[in-house]
Amino acid sequence: ARSTAIFRGHLVVIEGLDRSGKSSQCQLLLETIQASRQRARYVKFPDRTTPTGQMINSYLTGQAQQDDHSIHLLFSANRWEAIKGIEEDLMNGFTVIVDRYSFSGAVYSAAKENPDLSLDWAWYPEIGLLKPDILFFLDISSADAAKRGGYGAERYETERMQARVRTLFTELFQRLDNVHVRVIDAGRSIQEVHQAILEGVDELPWDQPLDMTLGKLG
Ligand code: TMP
Ligand code: MG
C-alpha cells in the first residue's frame, strides 16, 4: 500500500459498545466534513450487503449457527474484501469514516470465553489491513449503554457480553502501541461528543503516505 501521493484522505475509525452512539457520530462527522466541501464516505462493518455479510447477518439474527472461529474469519473476510475500495477512496482524497473495524472484530470474538479463541488468535487475521489515522473509542459503561433504549435482540447484545467487550477493548488498545487511539467520554451529549471527535480529526496531518498497516500485538 506504499504511495508517495500527498493529500490523501484520512482513515477515521469509530469503535465502541453497542448503543454507544457510533452510527450517529459517524453520520454527524460525515455531514460536517461534506459541509466544508471536503470529500467523505461512510463505511460500516459488518457490511451486510455482500455474500459474506449476508452470512454474518444470518448469524447475528439467529437464523444460522456458526463455529466461533468460522464466523470470526467471515467478519475479517468482510473487511479484506472491502479494503481495496477504501484504499482507492483514500487516494482519491476521500476521508473514510469507518463504523467498527478490526478492533471490534478481535474483541467480540475473544469475549465469547471460548478457550480456543484468544485475543491473540482473534487479532491475527487483521494484520496487514490499513491502519486508521485515528481511532475514536466511544466509551460508555455497559450499564449506561443498556439504559439507552436497551439492547436489541441480536447475538452479543447482552450486558454480560458487552462488559467483557469493554474490558477487552482496553486490553487491545494497551497492546497496540502504534495505533492512534483517542478515548471519548460518550456519556455526554451528542454535540459534545461530536466536537471532541472533530478536534481529533482537525489535528490530523495531510501529508502522510498511505503505507500504514495493522501489526502484531505487543
Ligand atoms: P453492528 O451492531 O455494528 O451492526 O454490529 C453487529 C455486531 O457484530 C455487534 O455486536 C458487533 C459484532 N461484530 C463482531 O463480532 N465482529 C466484527 O468484526 C464486527 C465488525 C462486529
Ligand atoms: Mg448492533
Side-chain angles (χ1 to χ4, degrees):
R2 191 165 273 283
S3 162
T4 55
I6 57 170
F7 300 134
R8 65 166 176 83
H10 294 130
L11 183 58
V12 177
V13 168
I14 302 200
E15 286 279 12
L17 303 187
D18 289 280
R19 301 287 176 272
S20 60
K22 288 180 307 304
S23 300
S24 312
Q25 290 300 332
C26 286
Q27 211 49 49
L28 271 177
L29 182 61
L30 181 71
E31 287 164 12
T32 301
I33 294 175
Q34 287 175 342
S36 68
R37 294 177 171 274
Q38 289 173 47
R39 298 170 152 194
R41 187 189 144 207
Y42 170 72
V43 176
K44 161 100 194 78
F45 290 115
D47 174 357
R48 303 188 193 214
T49 66
T50 70
T52 311
Q54 284 162 19
M55 292 174 74
I56 293 169
N57 184 61
S58 299
Y59 173 77
L60 288 172
T61 55
Q63 298 162 269
Q65 304 304 314
Q66 288 272 356
D67 168 75
D68 290 341
H69 301 81
S70 178
I71 187 65
H72 178 74
L73 294 171
L74 287 173
F75 273 111
S76 186
N78 189 235
R79 282 182 284 280
W80 279 103
E81 69 189 359
I83 204 68
K84 280 272 169 353
I86 292 175
E87 188 170 339
E88 278 171 25
D89 286 340
L90 291 168
M91 295 313 294
N92 286 325
F94 283 81
T95 288
V96 182
I97 301 165
V98 183
D99 188 341
R100 291 195 190 277
Y101 194 53
S102 304
F103 313 92
S104 279
V107 301
Y108 277 82
S109 291
K112 290 178 168 174
E113 303 182 82
N114 179 333
D116 296 330
L117 211 169
S118 64
L119 188 62
D120 286 272
W121 192 93
W123 181 253
Y124 222 86
E126 308 304 316
I127 296 173
L129 284 171
L130 284 177
K131 186 170 82 176
D133 292 289
I134 192 164
L135 185 174
F136 295 101
F137 179 66
L138 302 194
D139 194 26
I140 186 170
S141 71
S142 51
D144 282 352
K147 276 184 222 149
R148 290 189 171 179
Y151 291 121
E154 286 203 338
R155 218 181 280 257
Y156 306 155
E157 293 190 340
T158 65
E159 200 169 329
R160 175 181 166 80
M161 179 75 179
Q162 301 288 323
R164 287 187 49 76
V165 162
R166 186 166 182 246
T167 305
L168 282 161
F169 266 125
T170 307
E171 183 186 336
L172 180 64
F173 296 150
Q174 279 167 0
R175 294 182 62 189
L176 284 168
D177 48 8
N178 65 355
V179 176
H180 182 182
V181 179
R182 196 171 282 207
V183 178
I184 302 278
D185 172 5
R188 295 175 290 172
S189 75
I190 289 183
Q191 276 306 325
E192 283 171 310
V193 174
H194 177 53
Q195 284 309 318
I197 290 174
L198 269 186
E199 277 167 31
V201 169
D202 284 342
E203 286 168 15
L204 295 174
W206 281 106
D207 56 355
Q208 302 294 299
L210 190 59
D211 63 354
M212 37 46 93
T213 51
L214 295 172
K216 289 183 184 171
L217 295 186

